[in-house]
Amino acid sequence: MFGRTADRLRTFFSVPRNRNITLLVLVLLVLSAIIQVPEPHVSLAAEPILSQGPRWLTNSLVTTLVVDVVILAMALAAVIGMKEVPSGWQNVMEMLVEGIHNLTENVSGHGTVWTKRFFPWVMTIFIYVLVSNYIGLLPGVGSIGFYHPAEGAKKEAVLVEEVAQDPDMGDGVLAASVPVGAPAEDKAKEVFIPLFRAPSADLNMTFALAIISVVMTQVFGYQALGGKYFKKFFNFGGKGFLGVIQAVVGILELILEFAKIISFSFRLFGNIFAGEVLLFVMAFLVTFLVPIPFYGLELFVGFIQALVFMLLTLVFFTMATVSHDEHH
Amino acid sequence: MEVLDRLGITWQLLLSQIVNFGLLMLLLRMLLYRPVLNMLEQRKERIAQSLRDAERAAQAAAEAEKEKAAILEEARREAQEIRAQAAREAEKIAQEIRARAEQEATEIRVKAQQEAEAQMEAVLMEAKKRIADLAIAAAEQILGRELANREEHERFVDEFLAQQLGGTP
C-alpha cells in the first residue's frame, strides 16, 4: 500500500517539471512566512492623496482619470486605421460594441427608436464599470502610495472604526475582522494612503452612475409616455378602496425609484470594495499563492457586476418606456 | 450628512463623476460607437451586396451554360447537315465518275472492236492477196509457164477465193 504510493511519488518527482513546481510552491510558502505583507489599510471612503492638498483630490478621482484615458485609448486603438476586414484589437472592440448593441436591441425591442437612445448610456456604463472594476486588480493599485501624518489619518481611522461598529452600515463583520485603526498607531502615527483606488470602490462613482441611471429612466419614461408617465407615482384618480390602493402603490413606486439608487450604488460598491478587502486579507494571511484563486474570483465578479449594472439599467429604461395601460 | 461624510460622499466628487461619465459618453459616442456601428452596418451591406452579386453571377453562369448548350446543339445540327450534304454530293460525284468511266470504257471497247475489225479486214485483204499470189505462183509452177494474161488470172483467183470463203472478208 505505502510502497505503491511511494512508487507513484517517485515517478511524479522524477519529472523535472513536477519537481521544480513543487519546489517553487514550497519556497513560496516558506517565503510567505518570512515576508509579511503589512496589515491592510481599509477605508470606506476614498482618501485625498495629498495630506496638505485639497480634500477633493482623492485617489479614486486620480484613478477615474486613468480609467478615462484607458477607455479612450482602447477606443482609439480600435478606431484609428479602421479596416473593413477587421483584425486584432478592432475585432475585440467590435465584438464588445456589437454584443451590447444586440443586447440593447433585444431588450428594448427591434425596430424601435429606443435602441438608439439607450445604447450610448448602457454601453458607456458597461465599459466604464468594467474597466473601473478591473483596474483595481492591477498590481500597484492600492499598494503604491504615501505615508501621511497621522493627524488626518487618525481621524479617518476613527471614522472608519465608527462605521465598522455602526450596525446600520452592515459592513461590521468585514471591517471588524481587520484591525482597521491599527496602522495609524503602530507606524509612529503615520497612515498609508494609496495613490490609486478603483473608482467603483468609491461610493461617489457608484452613486453617480446610479443617479444617472435612475434619472435617465425618468427622462426616457417621460419621452415615451409624456405626462402619463408620472401617473405611475401620483395615482390619486381612483375612487373607493381600489383608489386608495392605487395611491399607495404609486407612493411605493416613488420610493422604489430612490431605493434603486441605493441598491445600484451599494451593490457595485459592496462587491468591488469587498473584493479588494478580500484580496488584501488573503495577501496578509499568506503572502504568496493563496490570493491567486481570489484574483480569478474578482475577475469574474468585476465582469458580472458590470453586466448586472448595465442589464438592470437597460431593463429599467425599457420598463419605463412601456405604458402600464398596455398590460391590462 | 454625517453618514455621507463617513462614506466619503461629497457633492463635488459626485458631480465630478456625473460630469466625467457624461463627457466619457459623448467622447465614446463620437470615437467608438458611431464609427464601429457604421462599420458594422457598412460591412453588413457589403456582405449582402456580395451575396446578391454572387447570386447574380451564378444566374449569369447558368444562363451562359444554357446558351452554350444551345450553341453546341446548333453546331452539331449544322455539322450533321454539312455531313449529309457532303455525303450526298460525294455520292453524286461518284455516280458521275462511274457513269463517265462506263461511257469511256464503252467507247474504248467500241473503238477496240472497230480497230480489231479493221485489222482483221486488213489481214484478210493481205491474206487474200498473198493467197492469190501463192495460187498464181502455184498455178505457174504447175503449168510450167508464166501465165500470159496476168490480169485475167488475178481476176480468176479472186473469183475463186470469193467462192471459197463464202463472202466473208
Side-chain angles (χ1 to χ4, degrees):
Chain A
M1 186 75 185
F2 282 114
R4 247 172 63 194
T5 315
D7 275 354
R8 270 197 202 152
L9 280 178
R10 209 167 295 131
T11 35
F12 180 80
F13 285 117
S14 66
V15 181
R17 190 163 165 271
N18 292 346
R19 206 163 48 218
N20 291 345
I21 289 175
T22 314
L23 208 65
L24 186 70
V25 167
L26 285 176
V27 167
L28 283 178
L29 285 179
V30 170
L31 277 181
S32 297
I34 299 167
I35 303 173
Q36 277 287 333
V37 170
E39 284 178 38
H41 160 76
V42 175
S43 161
L44 272 178
E47 300 128 309
I49 52 171
L50 301 171
S51 51
Q52 252 78 49
R55 291 271 300 149
W56 53 265
L57 189 62
T58 59
N59 41 19
S60 71
L61 186 71
V62 173
T63 318
T64 299
L65 296 177
V66 174
V67 167
D68 289 348
V69 170
V70 167
I71 292 173
L72 290 177
M74 276 161 62
L76 287 177
V79 170
I80 287 175
M82 214 174 185
K83 292 184 297 276
E84 179 105 43
V85 180
S87 62
W89 186 247
Q90 193 190 331
N91 262 333
V92 177
M93 291 310 275
E94 275 187 10
M95 191 189 77
L96 190 68
V97 171
E98 193 180 18
I100 293 186
H101 191 263
N102 286 346
L103 187 75
T104 312
E105 206 166 35
N106 288 338
V107 173
S108 66
H110 288 265
T112 59
V113 292
W114 300 111
T115 305
K116 225 179 141 193
R117 291 192 197 170
F118 293 170
F119 175 70
W121 299 94
V122 171
M123 178 80 216
T124 312
I125 284 177
F126 181 74
I127 199 165
Y128 183 44
V129 173
L130 188 72
V131 176
S132 296
N133 292 349
Y134 279 175
I135 208 152
L137 299 177
L138 284 183
V141 175
S143 55
I144 298 176
F146 302 106
Y147 281 101
H148 286 233
E151 203 181 353
K154 203 166 188 179
K155 196 175 133 220
E156 195 86 40
V158 170
L159 279 177
V160 173
E161 269 188 334
E162 272 176 23
V163 170
Q165 279 147 15
D166 193 346
D168 289 342
M169 297 322 298
D171 273 315
V173 181
L174 211 152
S177 66
V178 180
V180 177
E185 285 136 27
D186 290 354
K187 294 249 175 193
K189 298 199 186 305
E190 279 199 332
V191 70
F192 176 77
I193 306 288
L195 193 52
F196 300 107
R197 179 191 175 103
S200 35
D202 178 6
L203 272 169
N204 286 306
M205 182 270 204
T206 60
F207 253 109
L209 287 193
I211 288 168
I212 287 168
S213 172
V214 171
V215 167
M216 284 319 291
T217 305
Q218 317 310 316
V219 170
F220 286 132
Y222 182 74
Q223 276 182 359
L225 307 173
K228 244 171 56 188
Y229 174 73
F230 294 106
K231 244 186 85 183
K232 190 167 100 180
F233 305 124
F234 307 106
N235 196 0
F236 300 120
K239 288 191 185 81
F241 183 61
L242 204 64
V244 172
I245 285 185
Q246 279 172 348
V248 172
V249 166
I251 298 296
L252 285 179
E253 288 265 8
L254 191 62
I255 295 169
L256 188 66
E257 292 302 309
F258 289 99
K260 270 184 201 167
I261 299 183
I262 305 288
S263 77
F264 260 136
S265 52
F266 277 96
R267 178 176 343 143
L268 180 57
F269 169 77
N271 272 287
I272 302 309
F273 181 71
E276 285 185 0
V277 172
L278 178 67
L279 289 178
F280 274 144
V281 171
M282 284 303 151
F284 173 66
L285 293 178
V286 184
T287 312
F288 298 111
L289 293 175
V290 176
I292 292 173
F294 295 95
Y295 265 99
L297 182 72
E298 287 315 309
L299 278 173
F300 180 67
V301 168
F303 176 76
I304 290 297
Q305 286 308 315
L307 196 69
V308 162
F309 205 114
M310 183 266 285
L311 266 177
L312 281 177
T313 302
L314 181 56
V315 169
F316 288 150
F317 281 0
T318 307
M319 273 163 57
T321 54
V322 176
S323 169
H324 267 249
D325 301 333
E326 280 172 21
H327 293 305
H328 300 304
Chain B
M1 291 308 105
E2 176 79 358
V3 175
L4 290 186
D5 194 42
R6 280 180 193 170
L7 295 173
I9 298 173
T10 61
W11 67 268
Q12 295 97 326
L13 284 172
L14 203 60
L15 193 68
S16 78
Q17 285 286 351
I18 291 175
V19 170
N20 176 63
F21 181 85
L23 282 177
L24 191 65
M25 194 183 80
L26 287 179
L27 276 173
L28 284 180
R29 209 156 133 182
M30 210 162 65
L31 294 175
L32 185 65
Y33 309 155
R34 216 167 281 166
V36 168
L37 289 177
N38 281 347
M39 177 59 81
L40 291 175
E41 193 62 31
Q42 196 181 325
R43 195 174 300 144
K44 203 163 122 190
E45 220 136 84
R46 182 81 159 264
I47 289 169
Q49 180 71 37
S50 305
L51 285 179
R52 274 201 300 273
D53 285 353
E55 201 164 318
R56 208 176 299 144
Q59 245 171 25
E63 250 161 55
E65 189 69 28
K66 238 193 290 180
E67 211 169 304
K68 192 178 111 188
I71 288 171
L72 269 177
E73 188 57 37
E74 176 82 9
R76 207 168 289 136
R77 224 190 52 223
E78 257 172 43
Q80 188 80 28
E81 237 167 60
I82 288 169
R83 212 159 52 208
Q85 179 93 16
R88 273 201 303 276
E89 263 166 38
E91 185 68 24
K92 221 166 81 188
I93 288 168
Q95 250 168 15
E96 260 170 38
I97 288 170
R98 215 178 293 134
R100 214 165 50 222
E102 251 168 50
Q103 196 191 329
E104 264 172 33
T106 320
E107 267 169 28
I108 287 167
R109 212 166 46 227
V110 168
K111 219 161 132 193
Q113 216 167 354
Q114 279 171 355
E115 264 172 33
E117 273 171 18
Q119 246 168 14
M120 197 125 117
E121 194 131 349
V123 167
L124 272 177
M125 289 292 272
E126 183 73 24
K128 254 198 257 175
K129 216 169 121 198
R130 288 277 267 305
I131 290 168
D133 282 346
L134 278 173
I136 291 167
E140 272 174 349
Q141 269 184 357
I142 292 166
L143 294 175
R145 56 173 172 113
E146 197 154 332
L147 288 168
N149 195 353
R150 194 174 167 92
E151 282 189 17
E152 189 76 10
H153 258 269
E154 273 179 10
R155 199 169 32 84
F156 170 72
V157 170
D158 277 341
E159 270 171 25
F160 170 75
L161 276 177
Q163 245 173 22
Q164 289 301 306
L165 291 173
T168 40

